[in-house]
Amino acid sequence: MNKKTYKIGLLFCLSVFVFLTGLVVYEKFNENNQDIPVVSMNPTPTETETKTEEKIAKPYAGEVQVARSFYDQSDDAEKQGKSLVLFEGVYRPNQGADFTSNNKAFEVLASLSGTVTSKKEDPIFGLCVSIESDNGVTITYQSMSEVSVELNAKVKQGDVLGKTGENLYEADLGNHLHMIVEKNGNVLNPEKCFDKTTKEL
């Protein structure tokens, strides 16, 4: 046997040995890892965080007080008397809540995210804006001097809707905001809606 044939045979044997060794190592690796679970990088529905539902926020920031409360049938006679509005010589139950900042104008903020379903200037109630949430709750903001949103616009909770002003219906309150909350055709007490989700109303 010449040296050339010997070298070829030796290289062949080494190649076969390396191949077989690699095959054995590969099989051992698979055996040791066959019970390791496969982790998906895509989260399953159970891993996805549930979106937190908004809670109704107050439509203002800063030093603002309640000027007149909602007329609530469950209140005592004294509080009900303070929740009446005198207009054109007739006392009427207050169908919303009124907020004031010492007769100074303040920014009106969206209490809930939603769609602007109404924007108008009323001769009695002043500039008015209504926003409906995805869950069917409508909040109307009245007695505004400025409105900075457009009809059918999408707004987010906390967005500035405009500024407060005066109106003819509650002229005795001066510069203030009148807020109305409605759900399924029922008028609700705004003060009792704060910090609650629309499902809790």
Side-chain angles (χ1 to χ4, degrees), residues 20-163:
L20 293 175
T21 302
L23 186 61
V24 171
V25 171
Y26 177 78
E27 290 178 350
K28 287 292 184 182
F29 177 82
N30 283 343
E31 288 177 2
N32 294 333
N33 292 278
Q34 62 182 353
D35 295 327
I36 297 177
V38 176
V39 179
S40 173
M41 297 304 292
N42 297 319
T44 61
T46 56
E47 296 171 339
T48 304
E49 293 183 4
T50 303
K51 184 180 179 181
T52 303
E53 187 178 357
E54 287 181 344
K55 292 186 176 182
I56 298 176
K58 294 178 180 179
Y60 54 81
E63 297 296 324
V64 176
Q65 302 83 35
V66 177
R68 180 175 287 128
S69 295
F70 177 85
Y71 185 91
D72 198 320
Q73 295 286 350
S74 63
D75 287 337
D76 56 41
E78 182 180 358
K79 190 169 184 179
Q80 286 181 345
K82 294 179 179 179
S83 300
L84 295 173
V85 180
L86 178 60
F87 181 67
E88 295 182 337
V90 179
Y91 284 97
R92 310 165 194 267
N94 191 17
Q95 296 297 294
D98 300 283
F99 306 96
T100 184
S101 181
N102 297 319
N103 204 32
K104 297 178 181 178
F106 58 90
E107 289 184 335
V108 179
L109 310 179
S111 293
L112 278 177
S113 301
T115 304
V116 179
T117 56
S118 176
K119 175 186 176 182
K120 63 182 180 180
E121 183 173 3
D122 190 282
I124 296 176
F125 300 110
L127 289 173
C128 308
V129 174
S130 295
I131 297 175
E132 184 175 348
S133 72
D134 293 337
N135 292 330
V137 172
T138 299
I139 299 180
T140 300
Y141 309 83
Q142 297 179 345
S143 188
M144 299 174 67
S145 61
E146 298 177 16
V147 175
S148 54
V149 293
E150 299 299 328
L151 188 64
N152 299 320
K154 299 287 185 181
V155 299
K156 294 182 179 180
Q157 186 180 60
D159 283 353
V160 177
L161 305 179
K163 287 187 177 181

